[in-house]
PDB file of all heavy atoms in Angstrom:
ATOM      1  N   PRO A 182      93.804  51.742 114.184  1.00  0.00           N
ATOM      2  CA  PRO A 182      94.427  50.685 115.216  1.00  0.00           C
ATOM      3  C   PRO A 182      94.776  51.271 116.514  1.00  0.00           C
ATOM      4  O   PRO A 182      94.763  50.709 117.575  1.00  0.00           O
ATOM      5  CB  PRO A 182      95.498  50.055 114.313  1.00  0.00           C
ATOM      6  CG  PRO A 182      95.201  50.224 112.934  1.00  0.00           C
ATOM      7  CD  PRO A 182      94.466  51.561 112.857  1.00  0.00           C
ATOM      8  N   LEU A 183      95.406  52.499 116.415  1.00  0.00           N
ATOM      9  CA  LEU A 183      95.947  53.184 117.669  1.00  0.00           C
ATOM     10  C   LEU A 183      94.759  53.473 118.714  1.00  0.00           C
ATOM     11  O   LEU A 183      94.967  53.879 119.776  1.00  0.00           O
ATOM     12  CB  LEU A 183      96.801  54.238 117.427  1.00  0.00           C
ATOM     13  CG  LEU A 183      98.133  53.962 116.880  1.00  0.00           C
ATOM     14  CD1 LEU A 183      98.923  55.247 116.557  1.00  0.00           C
ATOM     15  CD2 LEU A 183      98.966  53.016 117.678  1.00  0.00           C
ATOM     16  N   ALA A 184      93.553  53.520 118.148  1.00  0.00           N
ATOM     17  CA  ALA A 184      92.391  53.927 118.943  1.00  0.00           C
ATOM     18  C   ALA A 184      92.202  52.950 120.076  1.00  0.00           C
ATOM     19  O   ALA A 184      91.608  53.257 121.132  1.00  0.00           O
ATOM     20  CB  ALA A 184      91.144  54.156 118.132  1.00  0.00           C
ATOM     21  N   ALA A 185      92.591  51.697 119.733  1.00  0.00           N
ATOM     22  CA  ALA A 185      92.397  50.544 120.716  1.00  0.00           C
ATOM     23  C   ALA A 185      93.618  50.167 121.488  1.00  0.00           C
ATOM     24  O   ALA A 185      93.665  49.267 122.280  1.00  0.00           O
ATOM     25  CB  ALA A 185      91.713  49.385 120.077  1.00  0.00           C
ATOM     26  N   ALA A 186      94.802  50.850 121.214  1.00  0.00           N
ATOM     27  CA  ALA A 186      96.051  50.416 121.872  1.00  0.00           C
ATOM     28  C   ALA A 186      96.072  50.849 123.236  1.00  0.00           C
ATOM     29  O   ALA A 186      95.369  51.715 123.764  1.00  0.00           O
ATOM     30  CB  ALA A 186      97.228  51.115 121.112  1.00  0.00           C
ATOM     31  N   VAL A 187      96.813  49.895 124.034  1.00  0.00           N
ATOM     32  CA  VAL A 187      96.967  50.211 125.470  1.00  0.00           C
ATOM     33  C   VAL A 187      97.846  51.460 125.685  1.00  0.00           C
ATOM     34  O   VAL A 187      98.850  51.526 125.201  1.00  0.00           O
ATOM     35  CB  VAL A 187      97.630  49.013 126.172  1.00  0.00           C
ATOM     36  CG1 VAL A 187      97.812  49.227 127.645  1.00  0.00           C
ATOM     37  CG2 VAL A 187      96.764  47.705 125.919  1.00  0.00           C
ATOM     38  N   GLU A 188      97.298  52.361 126.552  1.00  0.00           N
ATOM     39  CA  GLU A 188      98.021  53.514 126.887  1.00  0.00           C
ATOM     40  C   GLU A 188      98.869  53.256 128.150  1.00  0.00           C
ATOM     41  O   GLU A 188      98.622  52.518 128.919  1.00  0.00           O
ATOM     42  CB  GLU A 188      96.964  54.656 127.189  1.00  0.00           C
ATOM     43  CG  GLU A 188      96.225  54.971 125.896  1.00  0.00           C
ATOM     44  CD  GLU A 188      95.222  56.183 126.273  1.00  0.00           C
ATOM     45  OE1 GLU A 188      94.466  56.066 127.345  1.00  0.00           O
ATOM     46  OE2 GLU A 188      95.126  57.167 125.506  1.00  0.00           O
ATOM     47  N   PRO A 189      99.986  54.108 128.311  1.00  0.00           N
ATOM     48  CA  PRO A 189     100.520  55.001 127.260  1.00  0.00           C
ATOM     49  C   PRO A 189     101.229  54.158 126.033  1.00  0.00           C
ATOM     50  O   PRO A 189     101.727  53.151 126.317  1.00  0.00           O
ATOM     51  CB  PRO A 189     101.532  55.817 128.067  1.00  0.00           C
ATOM     52  CG  PRO A 189     102.075  54.800 129.071  1.00  0.00           C
ATOM     53  CD  PRO A 189     100.877  54.050 129.507  1.00  0.00           C
ATOM     54  N   ILE A 190     100.988  54.737 124.804  1.00  0.00           N
ATOM     55  CA  ILE A 190     101.419  53.982 123.776  1.00  0.00           C
ATOM     56  C   ILE A 190     102.982  54.270 123.484  1.00  0.00           C
ATOM     57  O   ILE A 190     103.356  55.362 123.320  1.00  0.00           O
ATOM     58  CB  ILE A 190     100.582  54.469 122.449  1.00  0.00           C
ATOM     59  CG1 ILE A 190      99.139  54.393 122.786  1.00  0.00           C
ATOM     60  CG2 ILE A 190     101.023  53.648 121.227  1.00  0.00           C
ATOM     61  CD1 ILE A 190      98.286  54.948 121.705  1.00  0.00           C
ATOM     62  N   ALA A 191     103.682  53.190 123.351  1.00  0.00           N
ATOM     63  CA  ALA A 191     105.083  53.215 123.193  1.00  0.00           C
ATOM     64  C   ALA A 191     105.452  53.778 121.755  1.00  0.00           C
ATOM     65  O   ALA A 191     104.764  53.505 120.865  1.00  0.00           O
ATOM     66  CB  ALA A 191     105.718  51.977 123.475  1.00  0.00           C
ATOM     67  N   PRO A 192     106.727  54.389 121.756  1.00  0.00           N
ATOM     68  CA  PRO A 192     107.051  54.893 120.393  1.00  0.00           C
ATOM     69  C   PRO A 192     107.136  53.788 119.326  1.00  0.00           C
ATOM     70  O   PRO A 192     106.895  54.101 118.083  1.00  0.00           O
ATOM     71  CB  PRO A 192     108.499  55.516 120.726  1.00  0.00           C
ATOM     72  CG  PRO A 192     108.418  55.805 122.097  1.00  0.00           C
ATOM     73  CD  PRO A 192     107.563  54.758 122.761  1.00  0.00           C
ATOM     74  N   GLU A 193     107.664  52.518 119.624  1.00  0.00           N
ATOM     75  CA  GLU A 193     107.788  51.518 118.752  1.00  0.00           C
ATOM     76  C   GLU A 193     106.386  51.159 118.181  1.00  0.00           C
ATOM     77  O   GLU A 193     106.405  50.632 117.044  1.00  0.00           O
ATOM     78  CB  GLU A 193     108.561  50.408 119.278  1.00  0.00           C
ATOM     79  CG  GLU A 193     107.835  49.787 120.483  1.00  0.00           C
ATOM     80  CD  GLU A 193     108.410  50.201 121.865  1.00  0.00           C
ATOM     81  OE1 GLU A 193     108.850  51.369 121.774  1.00  0.00           O
ATOM     82  OE2 GLU A 193     108.324  49.683 122.841  1.00  0.00           O
ATOM     83  N   ILE A 194     105.428  51.257 118.801  1.00  0.00           N
ATOM     84  CA  ILE A 194     104.027  50.912 118.366  1.00  0.00           C
ATOM     85  C   ILE A 194     103.577  52.103 117.433  1.00  0.00           C
ATOM     86  O   ILE A 194     103.065  51.853 116.395  1.00  0.00           O
ATOM     87  CB  ILE A 194     103.058  50.839 119.559  1.00  0.00           C
ATOM     88  CG1 ILE A 194     103.517  49.575 120.243  1.00  0.00           C
ATOM     89  CG2 ILE A 194     101.550  50.574 118.972  1.00  0.00           C
ATOM     90  CD1 ILE A 194     102.703  49.222 121.507  1.00  0.00           C
ATOM     91  N   VAL A 195     103.772  53.346 117.811  1.00  0.00           N
ATOM     92  CA  VAL A 195     103.392  54.490 117.057  1.00  0.00           C
ATOM     93  C   VAL A 195     104.072  54.403 115.695  1.00  0.00           C
ATOM     94  O   VAL A 195     103.485  54.688 114.573  1.00  0.00           O
ATOM     95  CB  VAL A 195     103.756  55.800 117.654  1.00  0.00           C
ATOM     96  CG1 VAL A 195     103.349  57.036 116.828  1.00  0.00           C
ATOM     97  CG2 VAL A 195     102.795  55.994 119.044  1.00  0.00           C
ATOM     98  N   ARG A 196     105.384  54.017 115.768  1.00  0.00           N
ATOM     99  CA  ARG A 196     106.250  53.993 114.480  1.00  0.00           C
ATOM    100  C   ARG A 196     105.671  53.116 113.478  1.00  0.00           C
ATOM    101  O   ARG A 196     106.009  53.264 112.227  1.00  0.00           O
ATOM    102  CB  ARG A 196     107.625  53.541 114.912  1.00  0.00           C
ATOM    103  CG  ARG A 196     108.574  53.624 113.720  1.00  0.00           C
ATOM    104  CD  ARG A 196     110.039  53.316 114.159  1.00  0.00           C
ATOM    105  NE  ARG A 196     110.685  54.272 115.040  1.00  0.00           N
ATOM    106  CZ  ARG A 196     110.929  54.084 116.228  1.00  0.00           C
ATOM    107  NH1 ARG A 196     110.481  53.021 116.931  1.00  0.00           N
ATOM    108  NH2 ARG A 196     111.420  55.071 116.939  1.00  0.00           N
ATOM    109  N   ARG A 197     104.942  52.076 113.881  1.00  0.00           N
ATOM    110  CA  ARG A 197     104.296  51.170 112.837  1.00  0.00           C
ATOM    111  C   ARG A 197     103.150  51.660 112.070  1.00  0.00           C
ATOM    112  O   ARG A 197     102.745  51.116 110.989  1.00  0.00           O
ATOM    113  CB  ARG A 197     103.855  49.938 113.561  1.00  0.00           C
ATOM    114  CG  ARG A 197     104.875  49.119 114.420  1.00  0.00           C
ATOM    115  CD  ARG A 197     104.172  48.095 115.197  1.00  0.00           C
ATOM    116  NE  ARG A 197     105.030  47.472 116.210  1.00  0.00           N
ATOM    117  CZ  ARG A 197     104.639  46.716 117.266  1.00  0.00           C
ATOM    118  NH1 ARG A 197     103.314  46.423 117.357  1.00  0.00           N
ATOM    119  NH2 ARG A 197     105.537  46.229 118.156  1.00  0.00           N
TER     120      ARG A 197
END
Side-chain angles (χ1 to χ4, degrees):
L183 290 179
V187 177
E188 296 179 311
I190 306 173
E193 58 268 22
I194 296 177
V195 175
R196 185 180 288 109
R197 300 171 191 167

